[in-house]
Amino acid sequence: ISWDAQAAQKGGFTHFMLKEIFEQPKAVADTLIGRLSDNNQIVLDEIRMSAAEIKDLKKILVIACGTAYHAGMIAKYAIEKWAKIPVEVEIASEFRYRDPIIDKSTLVIAISQSGETMDTLMAIRHAKSSGARVLAICNTNSSTIPRESDAVLYTHAGPEIAVASTKAFLTQVIAVYLIGLHLAQVRGVMKDSQVAQLYYEMFELPGKIEQILETVEPLRTLTRSFAQSESVLFLGRNIGYPVALEGALKLKELAYMHAEGFAGGELKHGPIALIESGTPVVAIMPAAGSLLAEKMASNIQEVKARGAVVIAIADSPLAAADYLVRIPATHEFLQPVLSVVPLQVIAYEMAIARGNDVDQPRNLAKSVTVE
Ligand code: M6R
């Protein structure tokens, strides 16, 4: 590996997780850099597919576990929208035990920070035995999953020591955006100028993450006031839905609290019964002005009417929320890279408030090398 010993130290931060949260602007920039040619083509030679093979693709299947699975869910929204290829996303441990309908016209994308997750490794072996081509998105050079895949796109998050994944997640999301744009361009379904514009918007993300990190102190204080809550619910819609799931996973993992993520539209189909007076609900607002932002505002009213306290993560003012965490505006499909950052901070702060071990939460390992 090319990492030096110093990179693996805390560098003045109280926890590795906090350090890694603050390293996210650089991790995103490092993963993005050098991916657009002078003639506005996304450069992704590592995926080792010819234009003809890309045009022949019938389906993409993303397999991953935990946080990487949430990056896979984001991939579905972005790749289907941009490249117009059907995308399925599956938890690796489930995929392995069914008879998937895949063949050489299917591209399987395996996402893993460590490259050693046994469930994901067994899933790619299963996919390869069915004739599919496997592309790994991985943060760890020469680990087992890239070695067993047909191709690998490395993320450049650097070493992630804390068990809870933060910067690796953001770089996985960047990697799937790059793949989506590349496929869209090669298949001729997006103009070069549109692709270049999105790439340049992505390059503004590191600065926007920095802005969020400069203003998290009030959120840390607010989080501590909810430390005794029994459960926290997260709501999202569309590409914000996987962000809600990720926020809930982080909180379970670090704060040992009951936390669940829901699609806003599902509330009335059951989950709204969970709301009690004072239940904290974190709402990931879609981009301001969109139809979905209106729908989410209605969801906020619904939970507030039942006593919930709503913390909204939004790119514009929102009267309906009790607390607002402002994030900078960006393209609606890039928003997860920003909206997840306050959720990481909430989980981090809640873990401290509840006296938990932030970097080594109970019962968990950084790399799960058993089934
Ligand atoms: O190394 P991997 O990305 O394959 O790990 C997958 C999951 O075990 C991992 O993302 C886990 O969910 C994290 N601890 C979540 O923060």
Side-chain angles (χ1 to χ4, degrees):
I1 60 165
S2 58
W3 305 332
D4 61 19
Q6 206 187 2
Q9 303 302 314
K10 286 186 198 157
F13 286 90
T14 42
H15 298 95
F16 280 112
M17 183 186 176
L18 192 61
K19 174 174 177 267
E20 288 160 10
I21 287 173
F22 275 81
E23 285 171 346
Q24 292 184 115
K26 180 173 184 321
V28 167
D30 288 351
T31 303
L32 266 176
I33 203 148
R35 294 296 183 178
L36 193 72
S37 70
D38 291 344
N39 59 347
N40 286 344
Q41 302 298 306
I42 296 286
V43 182
L44 274 189
D45 298 339
E46 301 100 308
I47 74 169
R48 297 167 66 180
M49 288 178 75
S50 66
E53 286 168 333
I54 288 176
K55 284 177 184 157
D56 283 348
L57 277 180
K58 298 278 182 295
K59 180 168 85 174
I60 291 177
L61 176 64
V62 186
I63 46 179
C65 305
T67 287
Y69 171 74
H70 298 148
M73 289 179 74
I74 291 170
K76 177 176 171 66
Y77 288 94
I79 297 176
E80 287 189 342
K81 176 83 176 175
W82 293 337
K84 311 286 181 225
I85 304 174
V87 180
E88 292 173 15
V89 194
E90 190 155 358
I91 293 168
S93 54
E94 287 294 316
F95 170 77
R96 190 194 164 190
Y97 293 103
R98 66 181 183 88
D99 290 324
I101 301 171
I102 56 177
D103 57 24
K104 59 184 175 44
S105 68
T106 307
L107 174 65
V108 170
I109 302 180
I111 308 179
S112 174
Q113 187 285 133
S114 63
E116 300 294 349
T117 300
M118 183 58 79
D119 288 322
T120 310
L121 177 62
M122 299 311 276
I124 66 171
R125 287 182 182 162
H126 190 47
K128 284 187 81 172
S129 69
S130 308
R133 174 192 293 267
V134 177
L135 166 65
I137 295 176
C138 187
N139 194 47
T140 310
N141 281 348
S142 305
S143 50
T144 311
I145 288 171
R147 278 192 279 115
E148 294 208 10
S149 300
D150 297 297
V152 55
L153 178 57
Y154 282 110
T155 49
H156 296 283
E160 192 179 65
I161 309 294
V163 166
S165 187
T166 52
K167 60 179 181 169
F169 174 70
L170 258 62
T171 59
Q172 289 162 353
V173 174
I174 295 295
V176 299
Y177 289 155
L178 289 170
I179 292 170
L181 292 177
H182 179 60
L183 299 181
Q185 206 161 31
V186 174
R187 290 165 73 94
V189 290
M190 264 175 96
K191 290 186 192 144
D192 292 350
S193 56
Q194 290 175 298
V195 169
Q197 194 185 340
L198 267 161
Y199 184 77
Y200 291 128
E201 280 208 45
M202 280 198 253
F203 249 103
E204 290 178 12
L205 292 172
K208 291 178 179 180
I209 299 167
E210 266 164 20
Q211 278 180 45
I212 296 170
L213 293 174
E214 280 160 12
T215 55
V216 288
E217 277 313 311
L219 177 62
R220 294 180 71 170
T221 309
L222 175 66
T223 300
R224 287 195 287 273
S225 71
F226 291 111
Q228 302 313 318
S229 300
E230 293 219 336
S231 75
V232 181
L233 307 184
F234 294 77
L235 299 182
R237 275 179 176 266
N238 196 259
I239 206 161
Y241 172 47
V243 177
L245 296 179
E246 175 61 6
L249 177 63
K250 281 285 152 302
L251 202 62
K252 283 177 218 169
E253 192 175 23
L254 293 166
Y256 318 151
M257 288 170 90
H258 171 244
E260 286 195 63
F262 297 112
E266 269 299 286
L267 267 181
K268 56 189 175 299
H269 299 288
I272 201 162
L274 291 168
I275 307 287
E276 292 176 348
S277 174
T279 303
V281 173
V282 181
I284 294 96
M285 288 299 293
S290 62
L291 172 66
L292 286 175
E294 279 174 39
K295 300 273 179 197
M296 185 63 101
S298 306
N299 294 144
I300 290 176
Q301 300 291 4
E302 287 159 11
V303 296
K304 278 193 68 174
R306 277 119 186 134
V309 179
V310 175
I311 304 143
I313 315 293
D315 63 6
S316 61
L318 188 72
D322 296 288
Y323 302 96
L324 179 68
V325 179
R326 277 294 286 272
I327 56 171
T330 186
H331 185 282
E332 57 178 330
F333 272 51
L334 306 185
Q335 204 196 44
V337 174
L338 302 180
S339 54
V340 77
V341 175
L343 309 190
Q344 298 167 342
V345 173
I346 289 173
Y348 171 81
E349 198 60 38
M350 199 71 97
I352 293 180
R354 290 165 70 96
N356 299 348
D357 185 336
V358 173
D359 287 333
Q360 294 285 336
R362 70 183 182 197
N363 308 340
L364 296 172
K366 181 64 182 162
S367 182
V368 185
T369 53
V370 291
E371 270 197 87

